[in-house]
Amino acid sequence: MEKDKIVYPYILEFMRRTRRERNGYLGEIERRAREENFPISQPETADLIDIICRIKKPSRILEIGTCVGFSSLLIKEACGNDSVIHTIERNPAMIAPAKENFSRYDSNGQITMFEGDALEVLKTITEPYDFIFLDAAKGQYPNFLAHIKRLLVPGGVFISDNVFFNGYVAKGEPDVRRNKTIVNRLNEYLSELEKISDMNTVLLPISDGVTLSCKL
């Protein structure tokens, strides 16, 4: 895949050759989503989310960008039956398969999907979360950050995906002119994230770039 070029190809091939494939219904959703080119999290990001959630065991989770529901269900399995997961999606092409997956694999109703523009939905949310995962419109990342700071509890964990935008963010220039705004906005986002005094952040060169933050 084009976005995998941020990691040496032989390293990426080795990582994916040695990792254990996901099985069960999550493995089925993951494989089907990749075959149909739905933009779910890459394997390394999904594994990171799974491990962090198993260690942290958050009880209230917010996901911005549902896609087909794979990561919501992954988080549900990692966190257990007492967790509450809120996820936001605006794209009808994603909402339909997500609803189908939730109806099949979330029988106890832990996952609630809010349909609509994430910035508008976030304005209505007041209750805090102890884990937040951001994987939505990249050009809106700086605007999402104010809500994430407001909603993340002390000790909470925050992960954002695809912050390298195929590596062009590190170069400071896009592949084509129409992506220039996204590159600039992601650079702005990373700069602002590092300036948050009560949050520690590490930038990880996996998948298409991932940030891992903890609120102090």
Side-chain angles (χ1 to χ4, degrees), residues 57-61 76 79-85 108 110:
K57 290 293 183 184
S59 59
R60 283 181 52 82
I61 298 102
K76 173 183 177 290
C79 294
N81 293 331
D82 294 329
S83 61
V84 172
I85 302 166
N108 55 351
Q110 289 174 245

Side-chain angles (χ1 to χ4, degrees), residues 19-120:
R19 73 180 287 272
R20 185 172 65 229
E21 291 293 322
R22 220 175 304 281
N23 54 24
Y25 80 91
L26 284 173
E28 177 189 341
I29 293 173
E30 184 177 30
R31 285 189 294 274
R32 188 170 66 246
R34 298 202 195 287
E35 289 170 0
E36 297 177 8
N37 291 318
F38 283 111
I40 65 170
S41 296
Q42 291 298 305
E44 298 77 27
T45 305
D47 291 344
L48 176 67
I49 292 169
D50 180 59
I51 291 169
I52 293 295
C53 284
R54 290 182 186 278
I55 294 171
K56 179 70 177 173
K57 290 293 183 184
S59 59
R60 283 181 52 82
I61 298 102
L62 173 64
E63 177 186 48
I64 306 171
T66 310
C67 194
V68 298
F70 167 69
S71 50
S72 295
L73 290 164
L74 177 75
I75 291 167
K76 173 183 177 290
E77 288 296 314
C79 294
N81 293 331
D82 294 329
S83 61
V84 172
I85 302 166
H86 293 163
T87 183
I88 307 171
E89 180 59 59
R90 70 176 183 179
N91 188 341
M94 309 293 181
I95 290 171
K99 282 183 173 179
E100 180 181 348
N101 286 327
F102 294 156
S103 68
R104 293 181 64 185
Y105 304 115
D106 182 36
S107 58
N108 55 351
Q110 289 174 245
I111 301 170
T112 300
M113 180 166 59
F114 299 104
E115 300 177 32
D117 181 87
L119 287 172
E120 295 304 314

Side-chain angles (χ1 to χ4, degrees), residues 6 48 159 163-164 201-212:
I6 69 168
L48 176 67
I159 293 176
V163 297
F164 285 165
T201 296
V202 61
L203 182 56
L204 303 174
I206 60 172
S207 299
D208 192 24
V210 176
T211 65
L212 173 62

Side-chain angles (χ1 to χ4, degrees), residues 146-163:
H147 292 286
I148 290 161
K149 289 191 293 183
R150 173 176 63 86
L151 293 171
L152 189 65
V153 301
V157 173
F158 165 51
I159 293 176
S160 59
D161 201 3
N162 303 119
V163 297

